[in-house]
Structures are given as C-alpha cells and as structure tokens.
Amino acid sequence: MAVLRPRLHFTARRFWLNDPNGLVFAGGRYHLFFQHNPRAGNHGYMSWGHASSVDLLRWEEHEVALPWREGQDVFSGSAVVDWRNTSGLGGAGEGGPPVVAMFTGNGFYHQAQYLAVSRDGGETWAFGPPEPVLDEGKQDFRDPKVFWYAPGGSWVSVVVHPDERQVGVYTSPDLRVWSQVSVFGPAGGVAGIWEVPDLFALEVAGQERWVLKVDVFEGGPQGGTGAQYWVGDFDGRVFTPSQGARWADAGKDFYAAITFSDLPQSGRRVWLGWLNNWVYANRLPTTPWQGVLTLPRELSLVQDGPEWALTQVPVPELEALREEPLALPDGQQVEVGEGVPLDLTLPMTSWILQLLSARGEEARLWLEDGALHLTRAAPVGMDGFAGTFTAALPDGPGEVRVLLDTCTLEVFAAGGRLAFTQLLLPDEPITALRLRDADGRGWTMRATQAP
Ligand code: FRU
C-alpha cells in the first residue's frame, strides 16, 4: 500500500507525531510544537518537535525544542508570551519578552508540570527550573494549558486529572507558583480517561462566552478517542457550563486540539488537533512519517436554539493556496492528479462522492437523509479503522466544504457547525473523483509540504 504523505497538512519530516503542543505566535511567527519521537515511528522518547510558519500553513521544521531526557518524557503542554516577564525567566532585555512553555514531565509513575523558556521569540528553547512548578505527587496529572486572564490580572492553567475525569483550574501571578482554585467534572463523556483540556473565550453578540474542551479516551463520537466541549462562563476561578457536553468533531480522527496563544488579531481563536484516534494510531502503515495534524481552524460560536454551538472553518489563509479551479459535473469522473490537495464545495442536498484510485473506489462520502456518511476500507492489521461513519447534519443553510489531502479528509458543513475529520488509507493513491446527483466545484491546492 502506498499511503502518500499529506501535502497541506503538517507531518514531521521523519517519525512519530501526536498532539500539537505550545501553539503560540511569537517573534513574528506562528510556532507549532508537537509530541514527537525523534528516533522512531512509534510513541516513545517523547519530545517537543518544533516548526514555525508565517501563514499557519507553510511550516518549516526546526530542531527538536525540548528533547526527551533520561527518566523524563516531555509530554503535552502549552506556551505563552510572558509580556511583562512575570516569570523572571526573560533575558537582559534583548530578544523581547520570554516565551514560556508549561509541559508535563512524565517520569516513573509520576507526572508534574514544568517550565521551559525561549529568550529569542520562540526560536530556541531551554528547560526552566529543574523542579516542577505544579506537582500533586500523582501518577497521572497532565497537559497544562495556560492563558492570561486579564480581568483578574493572573495566569490560569487548566490541567487534567485523567482518571478522575476532572480538570483542575489553577492560577498564578508569575507562572511559577500555582494555586488550585476549582475543579470541573466529572461530566459529559466519562467512559474513558480525560486528556488535553483547553479553556478559552469567544465573543458572540458583544458578549464573552467561554468554551471548555477536554478529550476522552473512549466513547468518542465514532468510538475510541474524541473531543467534547461545554459552553459557559468563567470568572477567573470557576468554569460554569450553561449547557451539556457536545462533540467538537463528529468524525473519528480529531483529538488533542489546543488553541493558539497571543494571536496578533484580537478576538481570533484558532486551533488544530491531531488527525488520529488512539485506537489505531500506533499501527498506521505510513513511512517515514507517522502522524498528521489537522488544518488550523478558526473558531466561533453560533446560537443553536437555546444553546450555543461551536463552529469551525479552515483558516482563511488557506484560500491563498488555491491553484486551479475544478468543476465536478454530475456523474462525471474527474481526474485530479496523484497527491494534489483539493478544496471542494458541494451543496447541502443529497449526493455521493466517490474517491477513486487506479484500482477503483477507495472511499465514498455521501449526504443522505440529513446526514453525512463516509465509508472507508482498512489495510490488514488496522482493526477499528474500516467502516461506515455517520454524522447528522445541522439544520439550516450552508454548503459542504471538503478538504482532501492524500490520506486526510476534513469536512465542514452548515457554516462550520459540523466538522467531520477522518483518516483514509487508500490501497492506491486517489487520482480521480466522481460526484453523483449534484454539481460541485473546488480548487486544486498548492502543496506546502514536500512529498
Ligand atoms: C494525548 C496524550 C496526552 C499526553 C501525550 C503523550 O494524546 O496522551 O495526554 O500528554 O498524549 O504523548
């Protein structure tokens, strides 16, 4: 089987990747760190890989920022610009404010939160103080997501207690001394352990509402891992949901998303996740890369009856990568070229889209009875991968946007109220499409990653 490397989605040059980490805009660039094994194509020797970009799409991979050290993995976490050098970790004025990362050190039956710092705007990194800054002596306690809470004049970090299905909320004046101020959960999906929380504000109709996202290890929307969220209020100490849990993405392969910190445009919220499911992540038959991130997505909230719904759309920067217009006339097979990323727009009516390789149909996406469906096959050894996956379409107007990039499929419908993300493992590369019962249009996209 020849699984092509995605051309528009980030993959590590070589070897294993899982969660995005430390997403931050600093020194004039977007920085992307990622859970990385720099030595092999499986989860191990966990380190923070590093890439940066000026447009969120063309990533340049750098040296590993925070390497595994004997006795300690560098697990997931986040990064912020410490504008006022509250941490005292800044240099002597040169290089701008320190960029501070808070990550989980995974030791022998022990997880605690540590700091790392960059004094050159995110380019190079060093571990901070050797002692943890937040340690409850627990075996599982991880994935700190830090942000500045302006009204309270303090840092806030959400850290997950996986087994308890709880998110601890902590505050700090200086990123070094942390006090617990509240605990959220258990709530919503609790079938599996919880991982990778994020808490952020979105403005809607002149009002600020807060979103708490936390991933679940089992019982996701299509089985296995998935991402749930609540909308509610946050007063700097306590998150109070105003509605029940919802899935952030209805597909099987959206996990461990976190939002960027310090984006230059105020009010803008962008996240990206790991395009995978822990059910089979360790068995993907790809090489020399293993693991891919989603496209960056812009977030907002819309009214949904008495509740609020999160919407996600690919960042508008993506449109600059459109190359050739593409028409998908009803019933006609259209050659698209091996490995060429595609950005398609289809109506919210019923249709069938076949994804074809030289050997025939590799996958099928269709809309029927108010739902989106995807059938995908699996290579040998990939239990839990094959099947038909269904997601209800929200009512209302809109179109269906389909981003296809070799083995990744991201679908957004109804103004982003439905996001549906799935890996594909075609036996042969997809080279043609056939749409039935509708006309579609789209673009071929410029590649941002070398094959
Ligand atoms: C989520 C996760 C995190 C952890 C990291 C380890 O996918 O399990 O909870 O910090 O991956 O790589």
Side-chain angles (χ1 to χ4, degrees):
M1 97 164 330
V3 180
L4 297 180
R5 185 197 285 271
R7 307 271 166 93
L8 207 56
H9 289 69
F10 184 77
T11 53
R13 258 191 312 259
R14 298 211 300 162
F15 302 141
W16 173 270
L17 160 156
N18 59 296
D19 312 357
N21 294 150
L23 304 181
V24 64
F25 183 83
R29 296 179 74 84
Y30 300 95
H31 291 270
L32 158 64
F33 303 87
F34 52 94
Q35 285 289 282
H36 185 40
N37 180 349
R39 307 184 188 192
N42 63 335
H43 192 259
Y45 298 103
M46 293 317 292
S47 306
W48 277 27
H50 183 198
S52 70
S53 168
V54 292
D55 63 1
L56 285 166
L57 294 164
R58 278 170 272 229
W59 296 102
E60 187 191 334
E61 191 174 335
H62 308 297
E63 294 292 291
V64 166
L66 301 174
W68 174 89
R69 295 172 296 174
E70 188 66 47
Q72 197 180 79
D73 295 292
V74 188
F75 269 14
S76 287
S78 53
V80 288
V81 179
D82 181 11
W83 291 100
R84 293 181 297 114
N85 194 20
T86 59
S87 63
L89 291 170
E94 277 176 35
V99 188
V100 179
M102 189 175 185
F103 66 88
T104 299
N106 178 57
F108 189 67
Y109 292 103
H110 181 217
Q111 295 183 341
Q113 323 318 318
Y114 296 78
L115 300 183
V117 64
S118 167
R119 299 191 177 89
D120 56 9
E123 239 175 89
T124 61
W125 285 82
F127 286 104
E131 314 77 37
V133 292
L134 179 51
D135 183 3
E136 297 185 353
K138 296 184 71 176
Q139 179 177 329
D140 289 286
F141 177 45
R142 59 180 176 267
D143 308 339
K145 178 70 167 79
V146 186
F147 61 93
W148 176 250
Y149 183 71
S154 73
W155 297 103
V156 176
S157 185
V158 282
V159 191
V160 81
H161 297 281
D163 295 326
E164 295 87 341
R165 280 77 163 157
Q166 285 182 325
V167 174
V169 183
Y170 301 79
T171 60
S172 169
D174 57 5
L175 294 165
R176 301 176 84 134
V177 178
W178 291 94
S179 337
Q180 183 176 309
V181 288
S182 67
V183 179
F184 175 85
V190 293
I193 60 158
W194 282 14
E195 296 188 312
V196 196
D198 197 351
L199 177 60
F200 53 88
L202 289 172
E203 206 181 285
V204 54
Q207 259 199 313
E208 195 167 72
R209 299 192 186 269
W210 288 78
V211 176
L212 176 68
K213 189 274 313 186
V214 65
D215 298 317
V216 285
F217 209 77
E218 280 165 44
Q222 305 289 352
T225 53
Q228 59 179 337
Y229 73 93
W230 293 263
V231 179
D233 300 315
F234 180 64
D235 63 2
R237 302 168 68 83
V238 180
F239 173 77
T240 311
S242 58
Q243 59 191 63
R246 293 171 172 237
W247 296 116
D249 190 295
K252 191 155 182 173
D253 299 310
F254 184 78
Y255 201 65
I258 57 167
T259 59
F260 274 89
S261 184
D262 296 281
L263 287 186
Q265 307 89 338
S266 98
R268 189 178 192 203
R269 269 291 150 192
V270 174
W271 73 8
L272 50 92
W274 178 37
L275 211 161
N276 218 333
N277 192 309
W278 271 116
V279 167
Y280 39 67
N282 270 298
R283 290 178 282 126
L284 293 192
T286 62
T287 177
W289 55 281
Q290 186 148 44
V292 53
L293 299 178
T294 69
L295 291 173
R297 304 169 177 189
E298 209 158 86
L299 305 177
S300 49
L301 288 174
V302 291
Q303 190 92 44
D304 182 15
E307 299 196 351
W308 297 95
L310 189 65
T311 67
Q312 302 177 63
V313 288
V315 292
E317 282 89 337
L318 192 65
E319 285 151 38
L321 299 178
R322 289 177 172 169
E323 226 159 38
E324 299 288 334
L326 187 77
L328 295 175
D330 187 354
Q332 205 167 303
Q333 178 162 330
V334 177
E335 302 300 318
V336 290
E338 185 173 307
V340 177
L342 302 172
D343 180 352
L344 310 175
T345 301
L346 309 179
M348 292 248 294
T349 54
S350 294
W351 44 256
I352 300 171
L353 178 67
Q354 293 173 287
L355 311 185
L356 308 163
S357 71
R359 87 182 233 305
E361 185 175 287
E362 296 285 351
R364 171 184 288 229
L365 181 72
W366 74 101
L367 236 68
E368 190 183 1
D369 297 335
L372 180 72
H373 312 267
L374 172 79
T375 295
R376 66 177 183 187
V380 177
M382 287 290 293
D383 297 345
F385 192 87
T388 295
F389 305 86
T390 293
L393 279 174
D395 293 333
E399 292 180 308
V400 183
R401 180 120 175 250
V402 178
L403 279 305
L404 175 66
D405 184 16
T406 74
C407 62
T408 68
L409 184 72
E410 287 174 89
V411 184
F412 303 90
R417 280 167 61 202
L418 177 72
F420 181 85
T421 304
Q422 298 256 162
L423 282 169
L424 303 174
L425 291 172
D427 269 332
E428 296 290 335
I430 290 157
T431 52
L433 304 178
R434 188 188 294 119
L435 181 66
R436 294 175 189 277
D437 302 334
D439 291 317
R441 59 185 202 282
W443 299 85
T444 63
M445 304 295 284
R446 198 169 318 139
T448 57
Q449 291 239 135

